[in-house]
């Protein structure tokens, strides 16, 4: 008798916990500067606080707080935020005081070998153009363009 199952298990990534040294500072950065939506800010006592924020359009949230994780603060590296218009997103973040790197794209796109050129991918291909920013604790984010040109 075959006891193996062909049912596909669904795994949904819903929350990433970020280590931060100052919860209020990180809350201001993510909510007011980056534009994440504040979902929860709960603190039943001085030892525990959970703040959950969600990027616009995302099904995955971040959590910051006290008493959530035992690891030291920062840095979590290269969490990706996928955007449809990288140039516009970068401009909006810069207007809000977020330090965002210059845009770069991978070359050659079709047979990428680890090189980059400045600016947006000339053909605006999916997954080819990037920019980066970090929060006050050094947790780093990569903005990646996908869906600019509808096929």
């Amino acid at each position: 008798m075959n006891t193996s199952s062909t049912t596909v298990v669904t795994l949904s990534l819903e929350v990433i916990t970020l280590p931060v040294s100052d919860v209020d500072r990180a809350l201001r950065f993510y909510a007011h500067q980056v534009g994440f939506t504040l979902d929860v800010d709960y603190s039943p006592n001085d030892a525990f606080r959970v703040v959950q924020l969600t990027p616009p359009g995302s099904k995955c949230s971040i959590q910051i707080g006290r008493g959530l994780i035992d690891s030291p603060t920062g840095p979590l590296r290269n969490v990706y935020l996928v955007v449809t218009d990288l140039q516009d997103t970068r401009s909006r973040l810069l207007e809000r005081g977020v330090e965002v790197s210059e845009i770069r794209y991978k070359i050659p796109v079709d047979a990428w070998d680890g090189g980059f050129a400045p600016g947006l991918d000339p053909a605006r291909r999916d997954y080819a153009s990037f920019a980066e920013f970090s929060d006050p604790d050094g947790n780093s984010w990569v903005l990646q363009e996908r869906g600019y040109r509808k096929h």
Side-chain angles (χ1 to χ4, degrees), residues 18-20 30 73-77 133-141:
L18 297 179
V20 299
Y30 285 107
T73 61
L76 188 64
R77 295 280 182 217
F133 70 91
S134 294
D135 74 9
D137 287 290
N139 296 302
S140 69
W141 295 84

Side-chain angles (χ1 to χ4, degrees), residues 103-107 109 112 115-122 128-130:
I103 295 173
R104 60 192 171 97
Y105 69 97
K106 57 186 182 177
I107 56 169
V109 172
W112 188 57
F116 291 95
L120 289 165
D121 173 54
S129 300
F130 308 87

Side-chain angles (χ1 to χ4, degrees), residues 5 33 35 41 44 53 59 61 82 89 93 116 127 132 150:
S5 173
Q33 289 185 264
D41 187 348
L53 302 115
K59 293 181 181 179
S61 302
V82 175
T89 300
L93 289 172
F116 291 95
Y127 308 107
E132 293 86 18
K150 302 295 178 200

